[in-house]
Amino acid sequence: LERSTSSFRYNAYHTLEEIYTWMDNLVAEHSDLVSKIMIGQTFEKRPIFVLKFSTGNKSRPAIWIDSGIHAREWITQATGVWTAMKIVTDCGEEPVLTNILNHMDIFLEVVTNPDGFAYTHSTNRLWRKNRAVNSNSTCKGVDPNRNWDAGFGGVGSSNNPCSETYHGPFPHSEPEVASIANFIQKHKHFKALMSIHSYSQMLLYPYGYRKEPTLDNEELHNLACKAVEALSQVHGTDYIYGRAISTIYVANGITIDWAYEHDIKYSFSFELRDTGIYGFLLPASQIIPTAEETWPAILTIMKHAYKNPY
Amino acid sequence: QKMFSGDQVLRIRAKDQKQLQLLRNLEDSEDLKVDFWHAPARPSLPVDMRVPFSNLNAVKNYLNSSGISYTIMIKDIQVLLDEEKKGMSSSRR
């Protein structure tokens, strides 16, 4: 196991155990900025951790970022790790981030589906869902990104437990989802949420389950445009952006729709690299370029949330 | 550990809604065990699906007989997985 965050290889994929150890090291080395919060436990009793980046003690407006809700999207957990380190490195050095952190807290859930992620390392690299046991079925797992209470159970999700998009028995039935929902609702001051997925190079905003645009459609569209521009300037990667329903497909019960409907206006979902050579098997050599280009987009959204309080 | 030897990922560009529906029908067929990496959404977006080696001929025949064109995006998934595994262990060392 890696013994410090400086010897950790950010250009390699890591197991859950390695990432959890790295988190402990990060917290120990930067205790003035980072703390680790356990927000729940998975079906298989693994802890669910969130990293909190904060420069103040009071309850502040906050930004939520999660990666790895779909277990096999390894580039996302790896990007989450790199992003956490970037926040630590740039805080106090880079003016935009420093300014944000002087007024807001950032919460980053690097491995949002720990059971699924552990399963991808031990048994099936291409596993997507969590590892819940489904009653009356031999098939395991619920798609945690169809389990949110926003159009739950509708088109774009499945009621078949054997499907990759099984929505689960009821909204927030899955601990990976309920833990986040409870935490966000209890906190009450989240102003932006970014959920990181892969792969199709897209930046999406609500809705995924309704045809009508949100009341904030124009603002979200313009912000997505800016974020994508910032991203493409790093390595020239092309992203498309827009409402989830019209950019990709109808999807019910997804994170960003729930967040938007719970008053988190700046609610976005990233689909990181690639566009069709490797899919979920993106080579580790692309971890850092992917994370590097995603960061300015994240920063653009965070900065906008900070500059436009509501 | 589950092996994916000979499994392929096919990239499909459906021409219209009718072809998309034909692709969606594949998902409902439990025998073929296809795994959509990019689900059928709209004609402008590609569909990527992982097909187990044992069902490759059946799926390709289905696509050919339906007039749906495809390319092979990943020829053998296990080859990529082996490389990934090798990379991880060398990184650990």
Side-chain angles (χ1 to χ4, degrees), chain A residues 44-258:
Chain A
E44 293 177 342
K45 306 290 175 212
R46 289 186 177 85
I48 302 174
F49 292 125
V50 176
L51 293 172
K52 178 182 179 183
F53 301 85
S54 179
T55 60
N57 295 320
K58 289 181 299 180
S59 171
R60 298 162 155 206
I63 293 158
W64 177 272
I65 305 170
D66 64 72
S67 50
I69 199 168
H70 286 147
R72 62 191 178 185
E73 297 170 8
W74 278 15
I75 187 62
T76 72
Q77 296 94 347
T79 296
V81 167
W82 185 95
T83 302
M85 197 59 198
K86 180 73 175 164
I87 295 172
V88 162
T89 315
D90 280 9
C91 180
E93 301 288 331
E94 196 279 324
V96 176
L97 178 72
T98 306
N99 219 357
I100 292 166
L101 278 168
N102 281 338
H103 299 89
M104 300 178 92
D105 294 339
I106 300 171
F107 291 83
L108 172 54
E109 187 176 358
V110 175
V111 187
T112 306
N113 175 2
D115 288 352
F117 189 58
Y119 194 69
T120 63
H121 280 277
S122 66
T123 312
N124 180 351
R125 169 65 181 85
L126 296 173
W127 188 258
R128 166 187 168 103
K129 301 184 280 183
N130 71 2
R131 293 294 298 159
V133 168
N134 297 308
S135 56
N136 304 322
S137 174
T138 52
C139 292
K140 281 191 171 186
V142 168
D143 181 347
N145 199 33
R146 296 292 185 277
N147 187 241
W148 296 82
D149 192 8
F152 176 85
V155 181
S157 66
S158 172
N159 59 7
N160 174 5
C162 298
S163 163
E164 294 290 353
T165 52
Y166 175 49
H167 51 54
F170 54 88
H172 301 191
S173 56
E174 305 313 297
E176 296 84 3
V177 171
S179 303
I180 301 174
N182 293 340
F183 185 78
I184 286 179
Q185 283 180 300
K186 209 169 158 190
H187 184 283
K188 293 188 182 121
H189 303 292
F190 278 94
K191 300 295 176 189
L193 175 144
M194 285 165 265
S195 190
I196 300 181
H197 291 247
S198 72
Y199 66 102
S200 35
Q201 295 174 196
M202 290 179 184
L203 182 56
L204 307 169
Y205 51 84
Y207 289 111
Y209 84 99
R210 290 172 66 169
K211 278 185 186 160
E212 317 84 68
T214 67
L215 292 175
D216 302 297
N217 191 66
E218 197 182 339
E219 186 183 4
L220 296 179
H221 189 81
N222 292 338
L223 179 52
C225 177
K226 266 193 201 169
V228 163
E229 263 175 29
L231 184 150
S232 71
Q233 276 170 21
V234 182
H235 295 294
T237 306
D238 283 331
Y239 264 50
I240 56 173
Y241 58 94
R243 280 187 287 147
I245 194 166
S246 51
T247 309
I248 182 162
Y249 43 54
V250 189
N252 283 246
I254 64 173
T255 314
I256 56 170
D257 284 358
W258 178 87

Side-chain angles (χ1 to χ4, degrees), chain B residues 73-87:
Chain B
M73 177 174 137
I74 299 176
K75 200 174 170 193
D76 186 338
I77 290 178
Q78 194 57 46
V79 171
L80 278 186
L81 291 176
D82 291 344
E83 277 171 22
E84 190 177 66
K85 211 169 180 178
K86 215 164 112 190

Side-chain angles (χ1 to χ4, degrees), chain A residues 9 12-15 18 72 74 120-126 160 162-165 199-200 202 240 244-249 275-282, chain B residues 1-4 7 9 11 13 27 30 34-42 44-46 48-50 73-74 77-78 80-81 83-84 87-88 90-92:
Chain A
R9 291 181 68 108
Y13 290 117
H14 294 274
T15 62
E18 287 165 353
R72 62 191 178 185
W74 278 15
T120 63
H121 280 277
S122 66
T123 312
N124 180 351
R125 169 65 181 85
L126 296 173
N160 174 5
C162 298
S163 163
E164 294 290 353
T165 52
Y199 66 102
S200 35
M202 290 179 184
I240 56 173
I245 194 166
S246 51
T247 309
I248 182 162
Y249 43 54
T275 52
I277 300 173
Y278 301 106
F280 302 118
L281 304 172
L282 198 68
Chain B
Q1 199 157 35
K2 189 169 173 173
M3 302 298 282
F4 295 88
D7 287 16
V9 179
R11 167 151 287 201
R13 288 201 183 263
E27 195 179 24
E30 287 191 12
V34 300
D35 169 19
F36 280 107
W37 285 16
H38 268 174
R42 60 190 73 241
S44 57
L45 291 174
D48 295 341
M49 65 178 176
R50 176 174 64 80
M73 177 174 137
I74 299 176
I77 290 178
Q78 194 57 46
L80 278 186
L81 291 176
E83 277 171 22
E84 190 177 66
M88 280 179 78
S90 86
S91 147
R92 270 199 202 99

Side-chain angles (χ1 to χ4, degrees), chain B residues 2-92:
Chain B
K2 189 169 173 173
M3 302 298 282
F4 295 88
S5 304
D7 287 16
Q8 293 189 344
V9 179
L10 306 182
R11 167 151 287 201
I12 300 153
R13 288 201 183 263
K15 276 193 286 199
D16 49 31
Q17 288 296 336
K18 194 181 157 201
Q19 289 198 342
L20 283 174
Q21 190 51 51
L22 288 167
L23 291 171
R24 286 189 194 107
N25 295 345
L26 274 177
E27 195 179 24
D28 299 332
S29 158
E30 287 191 12
D31 297 342
L32 293 176
K33 294 187 169 55
V34 300
D35 169 19
F36 280 107
W37 285 16
H38 268 174
R42 60 190 73 241
S44 57
L45 291 174
V47 176
D48 295 341
M49 65 178 176
R50 176 174 64 80
V51 186
F53 177 69
S54 54
N55 299 329
L56 263 177
N57 280 340
V59 171
K60 286 179 178 176
N61 286 341
Y62 177 86
L63 296 174
N64 289 333
S65 63
S66 310
I68 302 174
S69 55
Y70 63 89
T71 53
I72 297 169
M73 177 174 137
I74 299 176
K75 200 174 170 193
D76 186 338
I77 290 178
Q78 194 57 46
V79 171
L80 278 186
L81 291 176
D82 291 344
E83 277 171 22
E84 190 177 66
K85 211 169 180 178
K86 215 164 112 190
M88 280 179 78
S89 47
S90 86
S91 147
R92 270 199 202 99

